[in-house]
Amino acid sequence: MLKDIPLKSKDSITKNLLVLNICSWHQLVEHVKNLPYGRNSNRSDFNLVITENKGTCSSKHALLKKVADVNGLSNVKLILGIYKMNQKNTPKIGNVLSQNNLDYIPEAHCYLSIDGRRFDYTSTNSKIDKIENDILEEIEISPEQVVEFKIKFHKNFIKGWLEESKSNKTYAQIWDIREKCITNLSGNS
């Protein structure tokens, strides 16, 4: 586990955190994981996680990685993983998968690797061990890559998975089913 360090950078995100009395790495992690899950109004502005008081796995972990970088935490990596999203590891989506006769959908998920160990700060009940055995692929990315690169990587992975599995579903159908799953996760169902 990463030792707690004070946030001292002069960048705009760190300054905004200090105004909110979030003064250390551990305080930031606690704050971020306690924010509700939800998409921000602008995917490329990671400060919105703080100002809009919500975020996704991508925006929350990109923010954490940005803050880690500008505050000298070189052992923090941002990871993009593709995992088998199923009813067991993501219970809120089970009805959507069963209604569509699917055991799982490959889902892109962002999390951190700190000193070689995975950490998921998406929410207070996010536990990386829920998906660890279902991870199909992982790559290290930069915070900026959670915007377009992550989506393109995910879509290409799904297209390859559909071809390899000889599924009777189209890419558009799978992406629509995935969006319904995300809606369930956001609590908007």
Side-chain angles (χ1 to χ4, degrees), residues 49-147:
V49 171
I50 302 303
T51 59
E52 294 180 351
N53 287 309
K54 66 179 178 179
T56 61
C57 67
S58 299
S59 60
K60 288 182 175 189
H61 290 99
L63 168 79
L64 290 169
K65 172 62 172 155
K66 276 277 209 202
V67 172
D69 286 350
V70 297
N71 283 279
L73 297 167
S74 59
N75 53 343
V76 176
K77 295 178 180 178
L78 178 60
I79 304 297
L80 168 57
I82 303 287
Y83 75 101
K84 296 177 183 178
M85 181 170 65
N86 58 46
Q87 187 168 358
K88 185 177 178 189
N89 60 32
T90 316
K92 289 183 178 182
I93 58 112
N95 63 327
V96 176
L97 293 180
S98 62
Q99 289 166 3
N100 290 281
N101 298 316
L102 290 168
D103 293 328
Y104 74 92
I105 289 180
E107 178 59 14
H109 188 59
C110 288
Y111 43 91
L112 298 181
S113 174
I114 303 172
D115 293 327
R117 290 184 50 215
R118 297 178 183 115
F119 293 90
D120 187 350
Y121 299 120
T122 307
S123 70
T124 55
N125 63 352
S126 293
K127 305 268 187 280
I128 196 70
D129 60 345
K130 287 182 185 177
I131 68 165
E132 260 178 332
N133 293 330
D134 294 317
I135 294 173
L136 300 167
E137 188 168 343
E138 289 181 305
I139 59 170
E140 182 179 355
I141 61 172
S142 69
E144 293 72 27
Q145 287 181 298
V146 301
V147 184

